[in-house]
Amino acid sequence: MAFGNPPVPWSEVHRRLSDLPGPPVDGTRWANGGDGDERERAGRRPRSGATPAEPPAPPEWADGGDSPAWSRKRSAYVPPPDVAGGRGAGRRGAVRYAELHCHTNFSFLDGASHPEELAEEAARLGLEALAVTDHDGFYGVVRFAEAARAVGLPTVFGTELTLDGPTLPPLGAADPPGEHLVVLARSPQGYAALARAATTAQLAGQKGAPRIGIDALAELSGGTWAVLTGCRKGPIATALHQDGPAAAGRALDRLVSLFGREHVHVELWDHGDPLDGVRNDVLADAAVRRGVGLLATNNVHYAVPSRRRLATALAAVRSRRSLAE
């Protein structure tokens, strides 16, 4: 995104959007020279003189580390009654399935559901596990892990990395350039290596346009990842669309040579497009010929069908187009 924010502190933005009492503030500093916290707290103090309630304490296992899911303004997660304590997992076993390609709303203007919503619905559906694979980072995993623990859902952590993406943020592009590769961490060591890869990509590019090549990515893997060939923008599907089955096979051979046969998995999906079945047949044949694993995903972007309208609106905002367009 492009930013042209006025010089107003976040405490003042919060005060206005929350309709809190208190004097308006202009400029980069509060009138008293402070940062606004005192006035904000004063504006929210009950007029009766009662002491404001203390926020819930964070979980005992919380260490206040990376982007905690709890804060002074956000209490600890409480699951809904139908999935609390893992009760939503009773349907497991009919058809064993784990969703390994899923985006939360931390994939900005792409995913349309909170991490908590996705964990709750996965528990209701009886999924064996759920992987969160937000674009180019681990932004939603802390809130996801907190909710998954509460509903008894096994977790997988990953990310969908952009390979050799654009040098500038693709503002207003309906289909931004760059190939995608879904990577899942197999262990804490794999999580650390994947975090390092995402950080390397972000530092090499700029906000909204991370950059990393597949060779550099392979050097960081150390055999600690499961590499999925990704969606229609993955290297295999892209090669198939542009140059046919032989090119798709060569692209798969390259992934195998870089990451190892046991770590590469050809991803199949069916969203009802007339060509989905044909593409899946070609990709499956390429995988079987090379002894590479196959798996099915849904490339999830929202928890329930009713969220589709929100996802469509977000896509329109991202591409700077009307809903009709």
Side-chain angles (χ1 to χ4, degrees):
M1 291 185 67
F3 293 91
N5 296 332
V8 178
W10 280 112
S11 52
E12 171 62 10
V13 173
H14 175 265
R15 187 194 67 79
R16 295 185 189 182
L17 294 179
S18 303
D19 198 27
L20 296 171
V25 176
D26 296 316
T28 58
R29 302 286 293 179
W30 284 73
N32 65 353
D35 61 4
D37 287 343
E38 294 79 11
R39 292 203 180 194
E40 186 179 339
R41 286 193 290 269
R44 291 188 292 171
R45 187 174 295 122
R47 294 184 180 180
S48 63
T51 303
E54 290 294 324
E60 293 182 359
W61 46 266
D63 63 2
D66 186 22
S67 299
W70 54 88
S71 70
R72 177 171 60 88
K73 298 180 181 178
R74 183 178 182 275
S75 58
Y77 171 74
V78 178
D82 61 328
V83 293
R87 282 182 288 177
R91 294 173 56 186
R92 288 182 192 156
V95 177
R96 298 188 62 189
Y97 180 75
E99 180 56 66
L100 300 179
H101 189 164
C102 178
H103 297 279
T104 76
N105 57 359
F106 282 84
S107 289
F108 191 51
L109 296 180
D110 189 40
S113 293
H114 294 289
E116 295 87 344
E117 294 178 273
L118 291 159
E120 291 162 8
E121 188 61 19
R124 292 188 186 100
L125 294 173
L127 267 61
E128 296 287 325
L130 178 64
V132 160
T133 57
D134 283 318
H135 287 289
D136 301 301
F138 286 135
Y139 310 108
V141 299
V142 174
R143 286 176 56 171
F144 167 60
E146 182 186 22
R149 178 191 293 265
V151 302
L153 176 71
T155 57
V156 180
F157 300 136
T159 181
E160 185 169 11
L161 294 168
T162 303
L163 301 176
D164 293 324
T167 55
L168 296 174
L171 301 178
D175 191 18
E179 292 183 352
H180 295 169
L181 195 66
V182 177
V183 183
L184 308 177
R186 291 185 181 275
S187 63
Q189 292 76 20
Y191 181 94
L194 190 49
R196 189 176 302 113
T199 301
T200 299
Q202 296 289 353
L203 292 175
Q206 57 176 294
K207 185 178 178 67
R211 292 186 60 81
I212 191 169
I214 194 167
D215 294 305
L217 190 62
E219 291 179 2
L220 293 169
S221 66
T224 60
W225 301 339
V227 177
L228 282 55
T229 56
C231 58
R232 65 180 182 84
K233 301 191 71 172
I236 314 301
T238 298
L240 175 62
H241 175 73
Q242 293 178 347
D243 300 303
R250 291 191 294 271
L252 180 54
D253 288 336
R254 188 182 183 206
L255 282 181
V256 169
S257 67
L258 288 171
F259 295 99
R261 191 181 313 276
E262 68 276 20
H263 301 302
V264 176
H265 306 269
V266 171
E267 185 174 345
L268 309 178
W269 71 94
D270 192 329
H271 288 166
D273 187 281
L275 296 179
D276 280 352
V278 177
R279 182 203 60 245
N280 286 340
D281 288 344
V282 174
L283 296 183
D285 181 69
V288 171
R289 286 175 180 270
R290 292 161 176 80
V292 174
L294 281 167
L295 58 85
T297 77
N298 283 298
N299 193 8
V300 172
H301 283 71
Y302 42 89
V304 292
S306 60
R307 285 291 192 187
R308 178 186 176 91
R309 295 180 65 188
L310 175 58
T312 304
L314 293 172
V317 173
R318 183 182 70 246
S319 59
R320 298 185 178 181
R321 286 163 170 77
S322 68
L323 284 172
E325 290 175 295

